[in-house]
Amino acid sequence: MELDLHCTRCRLSERRIQVVPPSGDMRSQVVFVGEGPGEKEDQMGAPFIGRAGKMLDRLLREEGLERDRIMITNTVKCRPPENRRPLPEEMCACFPYLEQELASRRLIVAMGRTASENLLGRGVKVGMEANTFASIEILGQQKEVLLTYHPSACLYNLKAREGLRASIRLVRERFF
Ligand code: URA
């Protein structure tokens, strides 16, 4: 389903400033998926531009993968109030949009527990499963998912930072 910038499929629409669409290369083979827009993203209308986004930018830059060459999106496209985790019904309402974004990719990078659990449909312990692959079906096609840490976790946790860095390196080596 094409993203509706006036979407009212769930209650996140009541308090958002705007729907936050994906950014980057819409034709990239690789998509990075986060949780949901934060305050800055809600204000500016683009994903990963606040503190977590700066961390993601830094790791991409250090590993030589240009942000413009990947697609970046979120599990839900509207900011959850007080940056709480999106509720199952909110992720469910937003899934048709996400599915459309994932449909033409070769690799999905699930950053953090929310994106990983939403995509795999099961509980995920990122600390145990980071930098492993899973396979999911999107609109009748098998897709590879790389599980990894969320950039917010990397702000204070060195293990997470090196884990996300390793994922980015792997993506660059295999796809760019
Ligand atoms: N910004 C985003 O766009 N997504 C997140 O998951 C966190 C911050």
Side-chain angles (χ1 to χ4, degrees), residues 20 33-38 41 46-53 72-76 111 150-152:
V20 177
V33 185
E35 180 172 295
E41 288 81 11
F48 284 100
I49 55 170
R51 266 156 52 87
I72 301 181
T73 193
N74 278 306
T75 301
V76 295
M111 299 187 293
H150 191 281
S152 313

Side-chain angles (χ1 to χ4, degrees), residues 1-5 7 9 96-97 100-101:
M1 187 185 291
E2 203 67 42
L3 182 59
D4 176 4
L5 297 178
C7 181
R9 290 173 58 85
Y97 300 136
Q100 168 88 7
E101 293 159 3

Side-chain angles (χ1 to χ4, degrees), residues 40-166:
K40 192 88 181 273
E41 288 81 11
D42 189 31
Q43 287 167 354
M44 305 300 288
F48 284 100
I49 55 170
R51 266 156 52 87
K54 298 267 175 299
M55 173 54 70
L56 180 59
D57 286 348
R58 172 184 157 185
L59 294 173
L60 289 168
R61 190 177 58 247
E62 288 175 359
E63 292 307 317
L65 178 54
E66 284 173 45
R67 182 172 166 143
D68 293 356
R69 298 192 66 192
I70 57 173
M71 181 178 178
I72 301 181
T73 193
N74 278 306
T75 301
V76 295
K77 313 301 184 229
C78 298
R79 183 191 181 197
E82 284 81 49
N83 299 336
R84 62 161 170 75
R85 292 187 72 202
L87 301 172
E89 59 265 32
E90 294 160 352
M91 295 192 277
C92 206
C94 217
F95 196 73
Y97 300 136
L98 183 60
E99 198 171 48
Q100 168 88 7
E101 293 159 3
L102 306 183
S104 39
R105 314 296 145 206
R106 276 182 60 206
L107 177 71
I108 301 162
V109 182
M111 299 187 293
R113 179 155 72 102
T114 300
S116 301
E117 292 187 342
N118 184 49
L119 290 168
L120 269 54
R122 63 166 172 84
V124 173
K125 284 201 162 49
V126 178
M128 305 282 289
E129 297 190 62
N131 287 306
T132 66
F133 287 92
S135 183
I136 60 169
E137 193 180 305
I138 295 286
L139 299 174
Q141 287 198 312
Q142 288 302 121
K143 301 282 177 190
E144 233 183 343
V145 182
L146 174 61
L147 304 177
T148 193
Y149 292 93
H150 191 281
S152 313
C154 303
L155 291 168
Y156 306 106
N157 178 337
L158 212 61
K159 179 185 169 199
R161 193 182 301 174
E162 293 317 303
L164 179 55
R165 181 193 298 288

